């Protein structure tokens, strides 16, 4: 796999597919972590005299322009972080994109409007994606794939465009793959995986694969209530995926056969409703009130999880332990993050909400071994799936 060091980029237009899918509050960026993660590759190309054309998506627009998902605020922040003006194309692959590309000079950077404003970007039709990839290819001489958060998608700017231009892998994607290989190829043991988030159905594939790899699975977040229900507990009005109960029972039985320890909370923070101001308090998992819902792991569970992580050598964490955006239900995620920092393990935070939680709760990112930019891509890699955006980089 070629890297950007293998490309002669001076004076060339280099199309960089980055992951700049940041959370926006109106036009204010509430977490610029993904922009900062993209800087090293963009800066390295710019300093070598490339004319850098950055493309990215934001949110889930319906294949047409939508001002709520414009990348204009991202262009401004990217410029601030680079310390230089970043030109902004007001369309994705049209007249503005072509004019912006042609106007670039050596070392300068431009950002295209949201690639998902084009229906061809996410189309399942090869010809439709290919037509957009052809237009993208007219904007540049070289391609660099550096959007790890999108490499599990068979999209025009991720999968089809690399076939049309000399290409290379960006530094961010290269680092992500190297880290994930440490989790799949002879990880130092004990190897623990912490899974949270709302739905167990989002994690079925990775759980199935990890039962043959990990020594210990710690389960929290909304998904834990399907596990608790599968064990016969009443869960009040907590989140439940009833159609997954039998699958979860199968995982519990398989884990016992294969000697993989599954650690579930022993108590939760149960609230009258999904709201910050709701009456709430700890409840043992055997005694969750019928009219309350679990929104975080409880204090005894936080101690238990810390104990189960204390002797680990490798930990992968994906998904918060509770509704960390609401302060009454942030304690479990905060305690878990601190437990990872306190351990001697190589710790990998698996992107998405977990990475956002680390930053929003005030932790130093440098205290963790690696913070991924792609939650979904990380999970699919750990499932053993092929990643189209990686396969496309010949």
């Amino acid at each position: 796999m070629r890297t950007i060091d293998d490309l002669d980029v001076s004076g060339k237009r280099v199309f960089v597919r980055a992951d700049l899918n940041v959370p926006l509050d109106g036009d204010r960026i509430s977490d610029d972590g993904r922009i900062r993660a993209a800087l090293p590759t963009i800066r390295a190309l710019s300093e070598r005299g490339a004319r850098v054309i950055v493309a990215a998506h934001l949110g889930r627009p319906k294949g047409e322009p939508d001002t709520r998902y414009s990348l204009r605020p991202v262009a401004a922040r990217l410029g601030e972080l680079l310390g230089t003006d970043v030109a902004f194309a007001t369309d994705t692959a049209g007249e503005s994109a072509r004019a912006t590309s042609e106007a670039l000079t050596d070392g300068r950077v431009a950002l295209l409007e949201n690639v998902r404003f084009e229906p061809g970007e996410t189309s399942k039709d090869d010809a439709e994606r290919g037509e957009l990839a052809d237009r993208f290819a007219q904007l540049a001489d070289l391609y660099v794939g550096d959007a790890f958060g999108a490499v599990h998608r068979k999209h025009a700017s991720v999968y089809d465009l690399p076939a049309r231009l000399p290409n290379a892998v960006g530094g961010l994607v290269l680092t992500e793959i190297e880290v994930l290989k440490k989790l799949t190829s002879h990880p130092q043991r004990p190897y623990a995986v912490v899974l949270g988030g709302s739905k167990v159905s989002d994690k079925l594939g990775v759980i199935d694969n990890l039962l043959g790899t990990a020594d210990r699975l710690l389960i929290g977040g909304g998904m834990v209530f399907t596990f608790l229900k599968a064990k016969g507990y009443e869960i009040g009005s907590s989140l439940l995926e009833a159609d997954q109960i039998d699958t979860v029972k199968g995982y519990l039985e398989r884990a016992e056969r294969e000697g993989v320890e599954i650690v579930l909370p022993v108590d939760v923070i149960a609230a009258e409703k999904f709201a910050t101001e709701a009456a709430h308090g700890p409840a043992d998992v055997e005694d969750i009130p019928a009219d309350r819902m679990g929104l975080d792991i409880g204090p005894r569970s936080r101690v238990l999880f810390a104990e189960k992580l204390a002797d680990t050598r490798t930990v992968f964490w994906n998904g918060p332990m509770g509704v960390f955006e609401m302060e009454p239900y942030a304690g479990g995620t905060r305690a878990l993050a601190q437990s990872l920092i306190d351990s001697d393990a190589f710790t990998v935070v698996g992107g998405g909400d977990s990475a956002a939680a680390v930053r929003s709760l005030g932790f130093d990112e440098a205290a963790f071994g690696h913070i991924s930019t792609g939650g979904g891509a990380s999970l699919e890699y750990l499932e053993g799936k092929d990643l189209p955006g990686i396969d496309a980089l010949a």
Side-chain angles (χ1 to χ4, degrees):
M1 187 178 291
R2 285 186 297 271
T3 71
I4 60 173
D5 293 335
D6 299 318
L7 297 178
D8 177 11
V9 301
S10 180
K12 304 286 183 61
R13 298 171 302 162
V14 182
F15 189 107
V16 178
R17 180 53 164 99
D19 180 9
L20 307 178
N21 187 25
V22 295
L24 287 178
D25 181 6
D27 60 359
R28 184 185 71 83
I29 297 169
S30 56
D31 179 1
D32 66 359
R34 282 179 168 161
I35 303 175
R36 288 186 285 111
L39 292 178
T41 294
I42 295 170
R43 188 175 281 128
L45 292 167
S46 173
E47 290 174 351
R48 289 171 55 196
R51 305 176 182 190
V52 185
I53 302 160
V54 183
H57 73 277
L58 180 67
R60 296 179 180 271
K62 305 296 185 182
E64 59 185 23
D66 185 331
T67 55
R68 294 175 300 170
Y69 301 111
S70 174
L71 283 170
R72 187 178 291 277
V74 175
R77 182 57 180 154
L78 179 60
E80 291 173 0
L81 293 169
L82 288 172
T84 184
D85 289 337
V86 170
F88 182 66
T90 56
D91 59 29
T92 303
E95 291 183 8
S96 179
R98 287 192 294 272
T100 301
S101 170
E102 291 169 1
L104 275 182
T105 56
D106 294 0
R108 306 301 292 180
V109 179
L111 177 64
L112 305 178
E113 184 55 283
N114 193 335
V115 294
R116 291 188 181 174
F117 285 180
E118 288 273 356
E121 171 66 9
T122 59
S123 176
K124 297 187 185 304
D125 181 84
D126 292 349
E128 189 174 11
R129 288 197 322 274
E131 186 277 332
L132 176 58
D134 288 340
R135 286 191 280 138
F136 280 143
Q138 294 172 8
L139 303 176
D141 307 300
L142 304 168
Y143 176 91
V144 171
D146 209 34
F148 182 71
V151 293
H152 57 313
R153 306 296 189 192
K154 196 174 182 180
H155 289 174
S157 65
V158 175
Y159 176 76
D160 300 272
L161 179 56
R164 289 160 167 78
L165 295 172
N167 61 72
V169 63
L172 173 63
V173 168
L174 197 62
T175 297
E176 295 273 13
I177 295 299
E178 288 173 350
V179 167
L180 289 172
K181 282 181 178 177
K182 292 182 180 180
L183 303 180
T184 55
S185 301
H186 309 294
Q188 291 190 26
R189 298 185 182 279
Y191 171 28
V193 176
V194 185
L195 296 177
S198 59
K199 293 183 177 181
V200 69
S201 57
D202 293 339
K203 307 286 198 305
L204 291 177
V206 74
I207 293 172
D208 187 64
N209 209 41
L210 287 169
L211 286 175
T213 307
D215 301 301
R216 208 172 285 160
L217 293 182
L218 284 67
I219 310 294
M223 64 183 286
V224 79
F225 297 102
T226 303
F227 277 83
L228 293 174
K229 190 70 172 179
K231 288 177 70 69
Y233 295 116
E234 293 303 318
I235 60 171
S237 58
S238 304
L239 183 65
L240 173 66
E241 289 183 277
D243 61 335
Q244 300 299 334
I245 289 175
D246 287 342
T247 301
V248 168
K249 285 181 178 178
Y251 287 152
L252 292 169
E253 293 168 0
R254 181 179 158 201
E256 187 172 358
R257 287 196 309 271
E258 299 189 9
V260 177
E261 184 180 11
I262 292 186
V263 183
L264 301 177
V266 293
D267 64 344
V268 299
I269 301 299
E272 287 185 344
K273 60 181 179 179
F274 189 86
T276 301
E277 70 278 4
H280 63 275
D284 291 345
V285 294
E286 298 93 341
D287 194 28
I288 298 174
D291 61 347
R292 291 201 172 195
M293 61 178 65
L295 296 179
D296 193 11
I297 61 172
R300 292 197 299 121
S301 300
R302 297 167 199 176
V303 173
L304 172 64
F305 280 24
E307 291 172 348
K308 293 295 184 179
L309 294 170
D311 68 338
T312 54
R313 301 299 298 164
T314 306
V315 182
F316 174 74
W317 169 32
N318 182 280
M321 297 295 96
V323 188
F324 73 93
E325 300 90 344
M326 299 180 183
E327 180 54 36
Y329 320 116
T333 303
R334 184 181 290 113
L336 176 72
Q338 188 61 54
S339 296
L340 295 183
I341 293 171
D342 292 342
S343 76
D344 293 326
F346 173 64
T347 55
V348 178
V349 181
D353 287 342
S354 307
V358 164
R359 289 188 281 266
S360 69
L361 294 175
F363 289 98
D364 180 1
E365 294 181 46
F368 301 87
H370 178 72
I371 296 182
S372 178
T373 56
S378 295
L379 290 175
E380 292 202 12
Y381 187 94
L382 293 182
E383 286 179 45
K385 289 185 176 180
D386 290 333
L387 302 179
I390 301 298
D391 295 341
L393 299 173

